[in-house]
Amino acid sequence: VGTVQAATPESREVGASLVECGAACTCGPGCPNRVVQRGRGVELANEVEVFLSVKGKGWGVRATRLIPKGAFVMEYVGEALELEEATQRRARQEAQGEMTFLMVVRENFGGRRQSTCMDARYEGNVARFVNHSCDPNLTMLCVRTGPARPRIAMFASRDVSPGEELSISYGDAPGHAPG
């Protein structure tokens, strides 16, 4: 299981990025600095499960075994969008009473602040069912392997017990108070 020292709630609040080795690096695919690039494969299926929440949140994701603090849990996968398109989609979907699976993560990278937007509505994975909590056990980081759009990765911000629902803070997303 790959881990990261920067996977804390504070790192997300300041817009931190995690930089992994990229194509120009000569270390090879087994490098310990390629945690998110290696993905989780079938191992993920044994660590989490989707369930119908009894708390009225709809679908959720919970751990099936202990996930240690700092462990890479999953990547938020979806259609990459520019911020303007993401804002328009959210407004349309909310006006029509539809669920949204838009994720916007802000980061400070290369001396500038930028947003990474993913819409998991049609192209997504189990991460789109991770719910909000004011006391989240996951934190999100933008992970860079080069100059292209970063990936959005979720890391355990503390030990997560078997049966515990996985959660993130929506932070400053519209309609949600910072977690």
Side-chain angles (χ1 to χ4, degrees), residues 62-122:
R62 63 182 163 212
T64 58
R65 63 181 188 195
L66 177 72
I67 299 174
K69 178 181 179 177
F72 170 52
V73 178
M74 65 184 79
E75 182 177 353
Y76 194 90
V77 177
E79 178 187 1
L81 303 174
E82 295 298 324
L83 184 57
E84 184 177 333
E85 173 65 17
T87 303
Q88 291 171 0
R89 278 192 192 184
R90 180 174 301 225
R92 273 194 315 270
Q93 291 167 353
E94 287 178 352
Q96 295 172 357
E98 297 176 355
M99 296 278 301
T100 64
F101 295 100
L102 286 161
M103 182 64 63
V104 179
V105 178
R106 291 170 188 85
E107 68 172 326
N108 296 318
F109 184 76
R112 65 185 193 279
R113 186 175 176 142
Q114 63 186 54
S115 297
T116 296
C117 310
M118 293 286 179
D119 185 353
R121 183 181 183 108
Y122 300 112

Side-chain angles (χ1 to χ4, degrees), residues 120-167:
R121 183 181 183 108
Y122 300 112
E123 302 172 20
N125 63 1
V126 69
R128 69 180 168 181
F129 299 116
V130 173
N131 288 310
H132 165 79
S133 173
C134 293
D135 184 25
N137 50 25
L138 302 180
T139 191
M140 292 183 299
L141 292 173
C142 288
V143 178
R144 293 199 166 267
T145 59
R149 183 181 302 269
R151 299 163 84 163
I152 301 173
M154 297 180 182
F155 291 87
S157 53
R158 60 173 173 77
D159 287 348
V160 181
S161 300
E164 184 177 352
E165 183 173 0
L166 301 178
S167 60

Side-chain angles (χ1 to χ4, degrees), residues 10-55:
E10 294 79 19
S11 63
R12 182 177 181 277
E13 289 173 15
V14 298
S17 293
L18 179 66
V19 179
E20 291 190 347
C21 291
C25 185
T26 60
C27 65
C31 174
N33 193 30
R34 294 179 184 260
V35 173
V36 175
Q37 293 171 66
R38 282 195 305 269
R40 297 298 300 235
V42 296
E43 187 178 34
L44 179 63
N46 296 325
E47 291 186 21
V48 302
E49 65 183 358
V50 176
F51 71 102
L52 187 57
S53 174
V54 295
K55 298 177 184 176

